[in-house]
Amino acid sequence: MDSVLTKYDRLVDFGCGKGRVLFFVNQRYQCEVCGIEVDENLYEVALDNRAYFNTQFRGSKEKIEIICGKAEDYAIRPEDTVFYFFNPFETHIFETVIDHVIESVREHPRRVFVMMYYPKEGYRECMKNKRFKLYRIVKLPAYEMDWDEKVVIYEYGEPLTDQ
C-alpha cells in the first residue's frame, strides 16, 4: 500500500494548534506543510515552536508555513495535496473548506487526500456527498480503552462507473 504523503506533497493542517502535526510530517516525510490557526495565542505558540524546531532541524523553516486565520478563508493552492482535520470546527465550515478543495482541483487537476482524526458523522456524510471515496482507515493503538481512535483518509475522484 502506498503512502499518502511523500516529499513532493504539501500538507495543510486546518486548526493546527501548536503545530505538532506540521513538525512531525515535515520531519518524517520532508514535505512542505502549512498550518491554519484561528486562535491568535495558539498561532503565536506555533510560531515559537517553529523557531525552536528550526534550531533542531536546520532549513525546515522554509518548508513550514503557519497562517493566522479562519479555515474557510484559506485560499487552496495548486501545490496543496493533503488536507488534515482533527475534528476542529462545525460541519458547515468543514463543508465550505471541502468545496474550496474541490474548486482548486477542478482548476488545477491533481490527486488530493483528506485525512480526518476522530471524524464527526457530519464530516463523513459530507465526504460521501462530495464524491470523495474512502481510501484507508488507519487504526491507532488503543490508549485507555479508546477503540475508536483512528484516522480516516479520503481521496478525491469521480464516482466509479458501473462494471
Side-chain angles (χ1 to χ4, degrees):
M1 212 180 273
D2 62 320
S3 174
V4 170
L5 283 163
T6 71
K7 66 181 180 178
Y8 305 106
D9 287 301
R10 178 175 152 100
L11 176 128
V12 180
D13 180 359
F14 290 98
C16 71
K18 298 176 182 179
R20 292 181 185 121
V21 169
L22 301 175
F23 308 127
F24 173 79
V25 169
N26 174 259
Q27 166 60 24
R28 172 69 175 84
Y29 298 98
Q30 305 296 304
C31 66
E32 290 187 29
V33 293
C34 176
I36 314 298
E37 181 52 57
V38 71
D39 182 299
E40 290 182 21
N41 293 325
L42 286 174
Y43 166 74
E44 292 296 331
V45 171
L47 291 178
D48 290 344
N49 287 344
R50 181 181 67 182
Y52 175 76
F53 184 79
N54 193 52
T55 65
Q56 303 300 306
F57 301 96
R58 300 242 183 257
S60 63
K61 186 176 181 180
E62 297 79 33
K63 289 187 163 193
I64 301 172
E65 180 179 12
I66 302 172
I67 298 170
C68 187
K70 294 179 178 179
E72 63 270 33
D73 294 340
Y74 175 70
I76 306 295
R77 300 177 188 172
E79 61 270 20
D80 296 338
T81 56
V82 180
F83 304 91
Y84 179 79
F85 299 86
F86 178 29
N87 211 2
F89 30 68
E90 296 299 318
T91 303
H92 71 277
I93 295 173
F94 174 78
E95 189 167 350
T96 298
V97 173
I98 294 301
D99 286 341
H100 293 319
V101 170
I102 293 169
E103 289 169 23
S104 176
V105 170
R106 287 183 179 149
E107 290 175 19
H108 306 279
R110 64 195 184 279
R111 183 177 180 191
V112 298
F113 293 94
V114 173
M115 303 172 74
M116 295 181 284
Y117 185 50
Y118 277 110
K120 294 179 182 178
E121 181 60 35
Y123 284 21
R124 293 193 305 262
E125 259 320 292
C126 173
M127 299 308 283
K128 183 178 174 184
N129 294 337
K130 300 288 181 178
R131 297 184 171 177
F132 278 76
K133 65 180 179 181
L134 181 62
Y135 179 77
R136 185 182 308 154
I137 297 175
V138 179
K139 296 287 269 177
L140 302 175
Y143 297 105
E144 298 181 25
M145 302 303 287
D146 187 353
W147 302 109
D148 291 327
E149 191 152 355
K150 63 187 170 212
V151 175
V152 180
I153 304 169
Y154 288 89
E155 180 182 7
Y156 184 69
E158 294 302 317
L160 298 174
T161 58
D162 292 332
Q163 297 181 11

